[in-house]
Amino acid sequence: MTDERRELEDGLEALGHSASATQLDSLLRYLAALEETNKSFNLTRIPRHDYVRLHLLDSLAALCAIKSNKPLSIVDIGTGAGFPGVPVAALIPAAHVTLLDSTAKKVRFAAETAQAVGIVNVSGLHARAEKIGHDPKLRESFDVATSRAVAAYPVLIEWMLPLVKPGGVALALKGVGYEEEMSGTESLLASLGGGEPVVHAVRLPGSDIDRFIIEIPKVARTERRLPRS
């Protein structure tokens, strides 16, 4: 067993999850492809030895707030190199994950590479979230929206919640200092149809790094004027 595989298995166990051998293989092959592609196209600044912890386990911390007992439609906003969308798709094969980013090369890498390593329940969408939030085919059509390290909380909720159907949930993956970002956003949240946020604190396995999954239920329709473009 490789060190990375052991780190991933142990980390998943610490987070309260598990994965099949096939799922582990797919995720590790995805990391290998990321490392290779990153040599010619800047996809991540995270050093290779931190890929498992800061890409995979950091992404999979979001599973604490995703109810996966039914097929789900998930949109990952600002997916970049495919995080958290690709790892989430790998561990929830019944879901379909749309990888959304405004950079075409990043969307192409994430979607095509995921498919190539056996994570087939993904598709790529090259677009800006504030634009597709007004697309009648996509607006309020997803069960779950995720986003990690893309923008400040007020911006994120304005991108995510218009895409989430009532009864669904938006998940903002944040680090230390999230409380200040959330201050004064109550009125905006209400206009977006968001309910009372619930914050899940997660310590990344094998580290002293704390992550915070801000879970925002979609309790009403988003006002038509939002998101602002």
Side-chain angles (χ1 to χ4, degrees):
M1 181 183 293
T2 65
D3 290 343
E4 278 197 331
R5 191 182 187 91
R6 184 176 295 106
E7 181 184 7
L8 181 53
E9 285 188 333
D10 291 347
L12 282 169
E13 182 178 3
L15 291 172
H17 306 295
S18 61
S20 68
T22 299
Q23 289 168 328
L24 293 171
D25 288 342
S26 292
L27 287 171
L28 293 175
R29 287 170 60 200
Y30 190 86
L31 293 189
L34 173 60
E35 179 186 26
E36 185 61 29
T37 305
N38 204 51
K39 294 175 182 177
S40 56
F41 175 57
N42 183 29
L43 289 165
T44 180
R45 295 180 181 179
I46 291 174
R48 181 67 175 90
H49 63 269
D50 279 334
Y51 276 14
V52 169
R53 181 171 67 251
L54 297 184
H55 277 321
L56 297 185
L57 297 177
D58 191 26
S59 295
L60 294 170
L63 294 181
C64 69
I66 299 177
K67 311 299 186 292
S68 58
N69 57 350
K70 66 174 184 177
L72 296 172
S73 58
I74 301 173
V75 59
D76 184 31
I77 295 171
T79 194
F83 304 107
V86 170
V88 167
L91 262 68
I92 311 180
H96 181 84
V97 179
T98 299
L99 305 170
L100 171 68
D101 203 276
S102 60
T103 302
K105 286 185 178 180
K106 291 180 179 180
V107 170
R108 190 177 307 116
F109 164 81
E112 292 180 358
T113 304
Q115 294 273 346
V117 301
I119 305 170
V120 297
N121 54 324
V122 302
S123 60
L125 178 58
H126 171 223
R128 302 187 70 86
E130 62 269 36
K131 296 296 185 182
I132 67 163
H134 290 286
D135 184 333
K137 294 181 180 179
L138 296 172
R139 184 178 176 89
E140 297 188 323
S141 67
F142 293 94
D143 297 302
V144 179
T146 60
S147 193
R148 184 188 80 149
V150 172
Y153 176 81
V155 177
L156 279 185
I157 61 175
E158 190 166 337
W159 288 349
M160 290 193 292
L161 283 166
L163 292 171
V164 177
K165 64 181 66 171
V169 65
L171 304 175
L173 283 63
K174 284 288 182 179
V176 174
Y178 72 92
E179 300 100 330
E180 184 175 349
E181 292 185 20
M182 294 178 71
S183 178
T185 58
E186 294 82 5
S187 177
L188 174 60
L189 192 59
S191 297
L192 291 163
E196 184 69 23
V198 176
V199 179
H200 305 268
V202 179
R203 173 66 58 91
L204 291 189
S207 77
D208 58 357
I209 300 171
D210 291 318
R211 288 290 189 252
F212 302 91
I213 315 302
I214 307 172
E215 177 183 359
I216 309 150
K218 182 72 175 284
V219 298
R221 303 294 294 270
T222 298
E223 292 183 7
R224 288 187 178 183
R225 64 184 179 87
L226 297 170
R228 292 164 289 191
S229 58

